[in-house]
Amino acid sequence: MGSAVAQCPHGITSHSTGNLGQNKLGYSSRCSKFPCQLDFARFGLLHQGSSAASSSDHSTEFGRRINAVPDMDDMFWDKVPTPLLDMVENPIHLKNLSVQELKGLASEIRSELSCIMSEKPNSLKASLAVVELTIAIHHVFHAPVDKILWDVGEQTYAHKILTGRRALMRMMRQKNGLSGFTSRFESEYDSFGTGHGCNSVSAGLGMAIARDIKGKRDRVVTVISNATTLAGQVYEAMSNAGYLDSNMIVILNDSRRSLHPKIEQEPKTSITALSSTLIKIQSSKSFRKFREAAKVFSLFNIFDEYARGMIGPQGSTLFEELGLYYIGPVDGHNLEDLICVLQQVSSLDSMGPVLIHVITEDNHQDAECNEKIESDNPQEGMITSYDDSVSSSVQTRTYSDCLVDSLLMEAEKHKDIVLVHAGMEMEPSFQVLQETFADRFFDVGMAEQHAVTFSAGLSRGGLRPFCIIPSTFLQRAYDQVVHDVDRQKIPVRFVITSAGLVGNSGPVYCGAFDVTFMSCLPNMIVMAPSDEDELVDMVATAAQIDDRPVCFRYPRGAIVRTDHFMHPGIPLEIGKGRVLVEGKEVALLGYGAMVQNCLKAQALLSRLGIEVTVADARFCKPLDTELLTLLCENHKFLITVEEGSIGGFASHVAQFIALNGHLDGTVKVMNIRNFHFW
């Protein structure tokens, strides 16, 4: 079937490998009214005329992965008309829109997000909160010449819609689809890839310094969130930005109405007509120049600090102490104020770094959106699919549920067990622990480095800490794992969640490296359960170890068996695996969740009359050398099966076999891993 090209009224060039005739909904592909110019055969995503060679290369590479048009039925859906949004192919089309039209555009984007993403399990709150802010940024600044960086991917859905990716939003977090985060390989409008937050200020400062050295005049804008302010890197970057005094803009999207995590204990920051006037004065060039000139007088400095402490919210003077000029708070849903402040700030040449404190509401909806929501949900008045926490009655029991149950049992036996949780968001399962052991549960948010060293301190104080961190978040706390825990042989029990493949969360959340970087440490015990029963036993094992650190990983998702019976945990013998099925000639040695795949393979081969051995390693470090020797001596083929990168379980097995002469015999060793591309 050949490729066809359809020319559409709005200048769209779409390549399709299918029939371009009438589809099931009665729409003709020749009169498609997509809002942007798309070439699905190469998927450029670049504004025409761009000379950014590197961006073009990256987008071309991304285009190789998107090689077909999404199903036409998915591209048309019942939704309210979006005439303004239909005219916006890229941010340059925002420049000539009036404030009133921009407000209408904000309403249409919210409607679009509600329609496109309502079936997705991921929360829309973060992106819905920053619609006006996103519009104001693209209205004032000139991306991609001006560099706009986002700290958290969940804030960027409106940004993606406005930068030529509207038609592909339904493919977000799907195979060969859009990333859930900003990606340099996806669009030239994504200046820097989003990891786990707190990186945008550091990267933005680097871009600003590079700009200054090269004598350019582009703007650098970074948007951070409340979660970011819990991480240490953002303050390191701000301190360095204040010292270097390079011109850049940091926007704090404060959707929690406070600079502190315990919002229920903090008064909400109010936005009044007076504060709106004051922030416009604050952001003006004349006031900034006057303030800089008056700083030579010590009395003015005292008055200035006192006045800013009175006007700004609690904690706002922190940014001034770090060297950033603080402006705020600004109503994040008032487009007039946002545009005014951003225009003023964008005109401040060589005036140093600026922080704009923007107050947004996660549940903000305009009148039109509220009417649509009420009509869609007449009984509830809300779109229930926005909520990640689906009714527990219809949810499958997960490994995290089993972990919680086992920790509850162990905590009843050991009163000195404490729990430290780190990461972007807390799974609903862990909230049970937080409620049950309020005085023994510490949620530190995105501060993973602090979580590790804090756990080490708890251990040195005589407690038994379990440090719960997703695999991909543990990566940035590795220095603390090495120096503050392993080198000192401090018994911290690392619970590594979301290990291995994580489905539609994408590569950013993919836990591929924890086995490799944890098993190379000299004092660390590294283990992984093959099912929920072994998870319970490994919790009990970790609770008993008091002379060195230990870690165990488990995947995100459903447990193996359907029965919910929880047996008390039985501590395992350290470094001992087990044989699950005895066979001949071929041995499958699985590690962690991959043992289940080995059992499935054994069942299929058994039907063909091929009997293979299946063994569960349980431990990557220390290895069960007796089990490995037995498998090598009694089989012609030994196949290790793991879920991780090169350098993990298979590498430890191969090293032992090579050093102990087992390769001199007849056994042949092979490895199967999910992450073969690393």
Side-chain angles (χ1 to χ4, degrees):
M1 187 177 292
S3 176
V5 180
Q7 296 295 334
C8 303
H10 292 280
I12 300 133
T13 303
S14 63
H15 289 246
S16 174
T17 57
N19 189 350
L20 290 178
Q22 202 84 355
N23 62 28
K24 295 178 183 179
L25 296 181
Y27 291 95
S28 172
S29 299
R30 287 193 172 274
C31 59
S32 300
K33 296 184 179 180
F34 294 144
C36 56
Q37 182 167 345
L38 293 175
D39 185 341
F40 286 102
R42 59 181 178 83
F43 198 77
L45 280 182
L46 295 177
H47 180 57
Q48 289 184 349
S50 172
S51 60
S54 60
S55 297
S56 178
D57 292 342
H58 292 155
S59 295
T60 302
E61 175 63 26
F62 180 69
R64 296 192 186 104
R65 294 186 283 116
I66 297 185
N67 49 24
V69 184
D71 190 276
M72 295 301 292
D73 293 339
D74 294 334
M75 294 194 128
F76 294 94
W77 53 89
D78 293 331
K79 63 185 183 67
V80 297
T82 54
L84 289 169
L85 184 56
D86 292 343
M87 295 188 299
V88 178
E89 297 181 7
N90 57 61
I92 199 171
H93 296 139
L94 299 177
K95 304 300 180 184
N96 296 325
L97 296 182
S98 66
V99 172
Q100 194 61 35
E101 288 173 323
L102 292 175
K103 290 180 180 178
L105 179 63
S107 176
E108 292 181 11
I109 290 176
R110 280 201 172 85
S111 175
E112 185 86 356
L113 284 172
S114 302
C115 184
I116 295 174
M117 306 295 291
S118 60
E119 62 199 44
K120 303 287 183 181
N122 305 90
S123 175
L124 283 174
K125 291 182 179 179
S127 280
L128 289 173
V130 296
V131 169
E132 287 85 2
L133 177 59
T134 305
I135 291 173
I137 289 173
H138 282 297
H139 177 75
V140 173
F141 297 97
H142 302 277
V145 176
D146 291 335
K147 305 299 186 292
I148 301 173
L149 294 81
W150 302 82
D151 230 353
V152 180
E154 285 76 7
Q155 293 183 131
T156 63
Y157 297 165
H159 164 76
K160 287 176 180 285
I161 286 178
L162 292 175
T163 53
R165 287 167 276 184
R166 180 188 180 191
L168 292 172
M169 288 297 290
R170 282 205 165 189
M171 295 178 65
M172 183 179 293
R173 297 177 183 268
Q174 296 180 16
K175 183 179 180 180
N176 296 332
L178 293 180
S179 168
F181 306 86
T182 55
S183 170
R184 295 189 304 110
F185 308 105
E186 187 176 293
S187 172
E188 65 173 347
Y189 292 99
D190 294 351
S191 300
F192 198 81
T194 303
H196 300 141
C198 84
N199 65 353
S200 66
V201 180
S202 298
L205 178 60
M207 293 179 182
I209 295 298
R211 172 204 62 202
D212 297 342
I213 292 175
K214 291 186 175 183
K216 296 182 179 181
R217 295 178 58 83
D218 52 280
R219 306 293 179 183
V220 177
V221 182
T222 71
V223 185
I224 64 177
S225 66
N226 289 100
T228 299
T229 61
L230 300 177
Q233 183 181 351
V234 69
Y235 298 106
E236 296 174 10
M238 287 183 182
S239 178
N240 194 215
Y243 173 76
L244 295 174
D245 205 34
S246 184
N247 195 29
M248 68 177 296
I249 300 165
V250 179
I251 300 175
L252 170 58
N253 168 31
D254 186 359
S255 59
R256 303 176 77 175
R257 310 304 296 270
S258 170
L259 295 178
H260 304 279
K262 295 185 178 180
I263 57 174
E264 69 278 1
Q265 300 177 6
E266 297 293 335
K268 289 186 176 181
T269 304
S270 59
I271 305 292
T272 63
L274 176 60
S275 63
S276 178
T277 302
L278 288 174
I279 59 107
K280 293 175 183 177
I281 296 174
Q282 277 182 291
S283 59
S284 66
K285 181 183 292 187
S286 56
F287 180 81
R288 181 78 186 271
K289 287 183 176 179
F290 168 75
R291 186 170 180 263
E292 292 296 322
K295 277 188 175 181
V296 297
F297 304 103
S298 58
L299 183 62
F300 174 82
N301 288 336
I302 296 174
F303 172 77
D304 179 59
E305 183 175 352
Y306 177 77
R308 296 177 75 78
M310 292 290 290
I311 296 172
Q314 185 178 3
S316 60
T317 55
L318 167 65
F319 303 110
E320 288 278 334
E321 295 297 328
L322 291 172
L324 280 73
Y325 180 71
Y326 176 87
I327 298 173
V330 185
D331 185 352
H333 304 292
N334 187 320
L335 271 167
E336 291 95 335
D337 285 359
L338 286 170
I339 292 172
C340 176
V341 170
L342 291 176
Q343 286 176 337
Q344 293 275 23
V345 170
S346 67
S347 66
L348 298 177
D349 293 320
S350 303
M351 299 292 282
V354 174
L355 183 133
I356 305 174
H357 184 188
V358 176
I359 304 295
T360 61
E361 297 179 14
D362 281 343
N363 59 351
H364 177 81
Q365 297 283 354
D366 50 50
E368 185 176 346
C369 255
N370 280 330
E371 291 176 5
K372 182 180 186 302
I373 290 174
E374 291 173 2
S375 65
D376 289 344
N377 300 272
Q379 296 180 348
E380 299 157 357
M382 62 180 293
I383 296 179
T384 55
S385 58
Y386 287 170
D387 191 1
D388 291 338
S389 55
V390 184
S391 175
S392 59
S393 61
V394 297
Q395 282 186 331
T396 305
R397 186 169 172 81
T398 66
Y399 277 94
S400 290
D401 295 327
C402 293
L403 173 73
V404 169
D405 291 341
S406 59
L407 283 174
L408 288 172
M409 288 189 291
E410 293 299 324
E412 289 295 333
K413 293 188 291 183
H414 304 282
K415 301 301 182 182
D416 54 354
I417 285 181
V418 291
L419 307 166
V420 179
H421 179 272
M424 289 284 289
E425 295 179 355
M426 189 188 304
E427 294 182 44
S429 302
F430 297 138
Q431 294 176 2
V432 176
L433 289 173
Q434 189 176 35
E435 294 169 0
T436 307
F437 300 105
D439 57 337
R440 289 195 270 167
F441 189 97
F442 305 93
D443 181 26
V444 301
M446 202 189 290
E448 292 88 359
Q449 296 172 328
H450 164 66
V452 173
T453 306
F454 176 52
S455 298
L458 290 171
S459 181
R460 292 294 300 127
L463 299 176
R464 301 184 193 218
F466 279 79
C467 186
I468 306 171
I469 305 181
S471 173
T472 189
F473 293 132
L474 183 60
Q475 294 166 185
R476 58 175 163 187
Y478 189 57
D479 179 68
Q480 285 69 29
V481 173
V482 174
H483 291 287
D484 298 341
V485 177
D486 189 79
R487 279 187 62 251
Q488 302 183 52
K489 296 185 70 173
I490 296 177
V492 173
R493 300 142 190 92
F494 292 99
V495 181
I496 305 174
T497 69
S498 297
L501 295 173
V502 289
N504 63 4
S505 291
V508 170
Y509 284 96
C510 188
F513 309 113
D514 59 271
V515 177
T516 299
F517 66 67
M518 295 298 271
S519 61
C520 70
L521 300 178
N523 300 308
M524 185 73 65
I525 296 174
V526 182
M527 53 187 177
S530 61
D531 56 29
E532 61 273 18
D533 291 334
E534 282 201 340
L535 175 62
V536 174
D537 291 340
M538 288 184 182
V539 171
T541 304
Q544 296 288 338
I545 297 173
D546 60 1
D547 60 343
R548 49 189 159 165
V550 58
C551 70
F552 57 92
R553 70 192 317 248
Y554 65 82
R556 187 180 71 177
I559 58 177
V560 176
R561 283 181 282 277
T562 56
D563 56 44
H564 293 174
F565 174 74
M566 284 287 299
H567 71 277
I570 302 173
L572 304 174
E573 183 179 355
I574 303 300
K576 288 297 179 182
R578 58 175 179 166
V579 174
L580 300 177
V581 179
E582 292 189 5
K584 303 174 182 179
E585 295 190 342
V586 178
L588 301 176
L589 178 60
Y591 181 66
M594 292 297 100
V595 172
Q596 299 304 319
N597 289 7
C598 295
L599 290 172
K600 292 177 182 177
Q602 183 272 333
L604 291 174
L605 292 171
S606 179
R607 296 175 188 173
L608 300 175
I610 303 173
E611 300 299 330
V612 300
T613 297
V614 176
D616 177 7
R618 282 180 170 169
F619 293 85
C620 178
K621 180 176 176 292
L623 283 171
D624 188 342
T625 56
E626 293 183 5
L627 175 61
L628 283 175
T629 300
L630 183 67
L631 294 176
C632 289
E633 291 177 349
N634 293 281
H635 298 84
K636 293 181 179 180
F637 298 92
L638 173 61
I639 303 174
T640 60
V641 186
E642 64 178 320
E643 187 179 40
S645 65
I646 293 173
F649 172 68
S651 298
H652 285 257
V653 172
Q655 183 184 35
F656 168 78
I657 292 175
L659 293 179
N660 287 271
H662 293 295
L663 292 179
D664 299 337
T666 59
V667 66
K668 295 182 179 179
V669 182
M670 303 173 62
N671 171 246
I672 298 175
R673 66 167 58 87
N674 276 6
F675 300 100
H676 60 276
F677 45 84
W678 274 302

